[in-house]
Amino acid sequence: MDEGGTPLLPDCLVYQIFLSLGPADVLAAGLVCRQWQAVSRDEFLWREQFYRYYQVARDVPRHPAASSWYEEFRRLYDTVPCVEVQTLREHTDQVLHLSFSHSGYQFASCSKDCTVKIWNNDLTIALLHSADMRPYNWSYTQFSQFNQDDSLLLASGVFLGPHNSSSGEIAVISLDTFVLLSRVRNKPYDVFGCWLTETSLISGNLHRIGEVTSCSVLWLNNAFQDVESENVNVVKRLFKIQNLNASTIRTVMVADCGRFDSPDLLLDTSAPPGRVFDLSSDGVDEEEEAAGPAPRRTEEGWRRLLGGLLDARAQPPLAERMLETKVAELLAQGRTKPPEGHAACAQHKLLIFTTGCLTYSPHQIGIKHILPHQMTTAGPVLGEGRGSDAFFDALDHVIDVHGHIVGMGLSPDHRYLYVNSRAWPSGSVVADPMQPPPIAEEIDLLVFDLKTMREVKRALRAHRAYTPNDECFFIFLDVSRDFVASGAEDRHGYVWDRHYNICLAKLRHQDVVNSVVFSPQEQELLLTASDDATIKAWRSPRTVRILQAPRPRPFFSWFASQRR
């Protein structure tokens, strides 16, 4: 300024100069004088800084909840959990999974060392309890989940057995006394299991029918199985689903439709329209309606299949596996129970799981509606009313991702499903169910709206995996209000912003990162678990500054020191 206090440079020129600076330099220049301070907070200036620094497409609008471009820049820069604050080394082998209690006060970890550890989540994390599952003939623990009131912990593990054994077990642990309350068989083990209500959980069983056909049965189990009367159910069958081409149901989870209360995610305007999937499995299409009732269609199908087998002109002949699948499909046509109505019920839940129809690798997401009357084990004693055993249950919705699914997670409001998938080559055809197509090293993080059953975002990319499709494993992801995080085989965890679809942080480990989890009460705290046998806690730069800031002494303490 000159001697009279008039600025030597007009605001417009200072603005143009600031446009050529980076964010840190703009903030530093704003400390020079009041004029520069005012220009350094200009909305248009920070809009340019935001798009340039984060490399967001210009047609993507600002987050609707943001108060200004400056505050939005600061949110992405300052509130992402990317500062390592603690490393936990109590596990002696690969750490496979992490889960938080709903209150955020505790979390659990599962490991190849065959323990389930429960931790107290404070400013400094401390081990609260360790449950060794080896006395129950477990090989390792792989998954855990707290029930809704945080009084019980579901822990899932794998049985000791042959290399190709697929059996597992679910244990329920009291969080008041750390006593093991019940154990439930679970097959295959990668069904994992999940809570449906505060005291009932879902497990799986698998029945082989042929070489590539089977039946998955999902059971509802009471967590407390020490009932006094034999007329009280502790288990009830939920669904019985046919599997074709060596596929099985895995990775079950429950979404509560009553929590769909969040606004729509804004689509990337530069992205192509989201994929829309055929969700007509709960109805009858025009071709089926024209073909007549199910028994008549089945009879006609048998006639065509037998005619083709007897006709010498049917070249080449059907392979054994393909013939088995065709026969199984025809048998199921007249023995599949259609979905129950759910449109008028607002209290239903969605049972979500991975499945398939072409090969054993999970490439589809199956969805079944669970109605209120199905959410309890009460009813006829097990063994009565077995007439329905003749039926398979039809899926309500099927989403095909055309790739190997290696992870799934729900948003906090349960409306959006995030899926880790390793894509198949474009146009690939599965000729043999035991030889799925090769899969990409890049992991696509897909987003589906469970309210509309549409894919609503372009795939998030940054993380990678290297194992082939016959060896690849589940990589657990997690979703908070603003962020989504995932592990990867490239020794990093990743954090993206849900609105802008940009990767904000890479969190380094010494080996594969198997699981990530946000604190449900504080999204600026993230935990990561790795094959390097460690759990790392990450906090945002803002939180770290607050925790490290010197605290003022209480007045009485200060007053007493002055009198000495």
Side-chain angles (χ1 to χ4, degrees):
M1 294 186 181
D2 59 19
E3 294 180 358
T6 304
L8 295 175
L9 294 175
D11 287 355
C12 60
L13 185 55
V14 176
Y15 174 81
Q16 291 298 325
I17 295 172
F18 282 8
L19 278 178
S20 64
L21 302 178
D25 293 332
V26 169
L27 293 174
L31 301 175
V32 172
C33 63
R34 292 181 180 179
Q35 180 202 14
W36 288 17
Q37 169 70 16
V39 176
S40 71
R41 290 294 189 270
D42 184 85
E43 269 292 276
F44 292 103
L45 173 65
W46 281 101
R47 180 181 183 276
E48 291 299 312
Q49 293 283 356
F50 183 91
Y51 283 119
R52 187 168 62 195
Y53 185 85
Y54 293 112
Q55 300 181 2
V56 177
R58 297 276 175 162
D59 52 0
V60 177
R62 191 177 73 191
H63 193 292
S67 59
S68 69
W69 283 106
Y70 171 76
E71 290 299 331
E72 189 66 348
F73 188 104
R74 186 176 178 179
R75 177 182 73 83
L76 296 188
Y77 192 88
D78 214 23
T79 66
V80 179
C82 59
V83 181
E84 182 182 339
V85 294
Q86 191 174 355
T87 301
L88 308 174
R89 306 181 186 277
E90 279 78 353
H91 281 291
T92 59
D93 207 335
Q94 302 170 359
V95 188
L96 303 181
H97 184 257
L98 299 167
S99 64
F100 255 109
S101 64
H102 295 84
S103 67
Y105 294 146
Q106 296 177 347
F107 69 88
S109 58
C110 296
S111 168
K112 282 287 185 73
D113 65 13
C114 206
T115 64
V116 180
K117 297 188 187 297
I118 301 168
W119 307 79
N120 188 31
N121 179 36
D122 209 333
L123 293 181
T124 300
I125 297 170
L127 181 62
L128 195 61
H129 178 74
S130 181
D132 186 358
M133 302 305 292
R134 280 171 290 197
Y136 304 101
N137 208 34
W138 285 26
S139 176
Y140 58 89
T141 61
Q142 59 173 353
F143 176 82
S144 65
Q145 186 181 44
F146 290 78
N147 70 341
Q148 190 61 40
D149 65 2
D150 294 336
S151 62
L152 302 173
L153 180 70
L154 175 156
S156 174
V158 180
F159 266 140
L160 283 170
H163 178 68
N164 60 353
S165 174
S166 63
S167 294
E169 193 171 67
I170 297 171
V172 177
I173 300 172
S174 167
L175 292 172
D176 293 327
T177 60
F178 301 118
V179 172
L180 194 150
L181 300 176
S182 60
R183 291 158 56 202
V184 176
R185 288 294 178 97
N186 192 39
K187 186 176 180 180
Y189 58 81
D190 49 4
V191 168
F192 294 129
C194 66
W195 293 103
L196 179 61
T197 68
E198 288 187 357
T199 58
S200 59
L201 58 102
I202 296 173
S203 65
N205 201 357
L206 182 67
H207 303 281
R208 295 290 179 185
I209 299 175
E211 183 185 3
V212 293
T213 56
S214 63
C215 171
S216 287
V217 181
L218 296 174
W219 294 91
L220 184 63
N221 307 268
N222 195 328
F224 304 95
Q225 301 204 355
D226 52 345
V227 296
E228 296 180 358
S229 171
E230 63 180 10
N231 295 319
V232 176
N233 279 354
V234 295
V235 62
K236 183 176 74 174
R237 196 187 78 188
L238 268 180
F239 303 115
K240 185 177 180 181
I241 298 169
Q242 184 189 45
N243 303 314
L244 301 174
N245 289 320
S247 65
T248 60
I249 286 177
R250 312 174 186 179
T251 321
V252 297
M253 61 176 57
V254 172
D256 187 350
C257 298
R259 296 170 63 175
F260 290 178
D261 56 357
S262 67
D264 298 340
L265 280 176
L266 293 181
L267 297 177
D268 291 328
T269 53
S270 59
R275 283 178 282 175
V276 180
F277 299 88
D278 180 14
L279 306 175
S280 60
S281 59
D282 52 355
V284 179
D285 61 28
E286 294 179 1
E287 291 183 5
E288 289 179 339
E289 192 172 359
R296 191 182 307 167
R297 294 199 306 272
T298 304
E299 184 179 343
E300 181 61 29
W302 279 113
R303 189 178 295 114
R304 287 198 301 269
L305 177 62
L306 292 174
L309 292 173
L310 296 173
D311 192 345
R313 293 172 297 175
Q315 296 291 337
L318 287 174
E320 288 186 11
R321 290 169 178 166
M322 188 179 298
L323 176 61
E324 180 184 322
T325 299
K326 291 288 185 183
V327 171
E329 286 178 327
L330 289 171
L331 284 172
Q333 280 186 6
R335 301 167 64 86
T336 300
K337 182 180 178 181
E340 298 186 43
H342 55 79
C345 179
Q347 301 302 316
H348 68 279
K349 297 182 179 182
L350 300 179
L351 180 63
I352 303 167
F353 46 84
T354 62
T355 182
C357 64
L358 302 175
T359 179
Y360 66 83
S361 64
H363 57 277
Q364 292 180 325
I365 301 166
I367 299 176
K368 281 291 295 179
H369 291 267
I370 306 177
L371 301 179
H373 73 271
Q374 297 173 306
M375 299 182 194
T376 173
T377 57
V381 176
L382 187 62
E384 297 180 7
R386 284 182 178 255
S388 61
D389 282 8
F391 290 92
F392 294 118
D393 292 291
L395 302 185
D396 293 292
H397 307 291
V398 177
I399 299 174
D400 198 317
V401 303
H402 197 73
H404 192 125
I405 298 170
V406 294
M408 294 196 302
L410 289 166
S411 61
D413 64 342
H414 286 201
R415 175 170 174 179
Y416 295 98
L417 178 67
Y418 286 73
V419 179
N420 271 333
S421 172
R422 296 175 62 184
W424 291 342
S426 178
S428 60
V429 177
V430 181
D432 184 346
M434 305 310 292
Q435 296 181 357
I439 51 180
E441 288 187 353
E442 296 81 9
I443 302 177
D444 294 333
L445 185 48
L446 312 174
V447 191
F448 300 97
D449 186 347
L450 295 178
K451 189 174 182 179
T452 63
M453 297 296 170
R454 290 174 178 262
E455 185 181 12
V456 295
K457 283 277 192 178
R458 286 183 304 180
L460 304 175
R461 284 184 177 172
H463 50 330
R464 302 174 72 87
Y466 307 108
T467 49
N469 50 25
D470 59 341
E471 297 178 11
C472 69
F473 47 85
F474 217 68
I475 296 176
F476 294 93
L477 58 95
D478 196 32
V479 189
S480 70
R481 183 191 66 221
D482 296 319
F483 308 124
V484 55
S486 175
E489 291 184 38
D490 58 11
R491 303 182 180 183
H492 289 88
Y494 290 83
V495 182
W496 295 265
D497 182 77
R498 291 180 61 191
H499 177 77
Y500 299 107
N501 270 25
I502 54 175
C503 183
L504 296 171
K506 289 178 65 176
L507 313 175
R508 183 164 181 77
H509 273 267
Q510 299 303 311
D511 211 328
V512 172
V513 178
N514 295 305
S515 180
V516 297
V517 62
F518 289 99
S519 166
Q521 302 299 326
E522 182 189 2
Q523 68 172 358
E524 295 181 40
L525 170 62
L526 177 73
L527 304 177
T528 56
S530 171
D531 277 358
D532 62 16
T534 68
I535 301 168
K536 291 188 177 184
W538 309 80
R539 291 190 182 272
S540 68
R542 185 186 73 89
T543 304
V544 171
R545 285 198 311 274
I546 293 173
L547 296 177
Q548 292 179 348
R551 298 183 179 183
R553 288 184 296 172
F555 172 75
F556 291 108
S557 174
W558 172 85
F559 183 73
S561 67
Q562 297 302 308
R563 296 185 61 183
R564 294 193 184 120

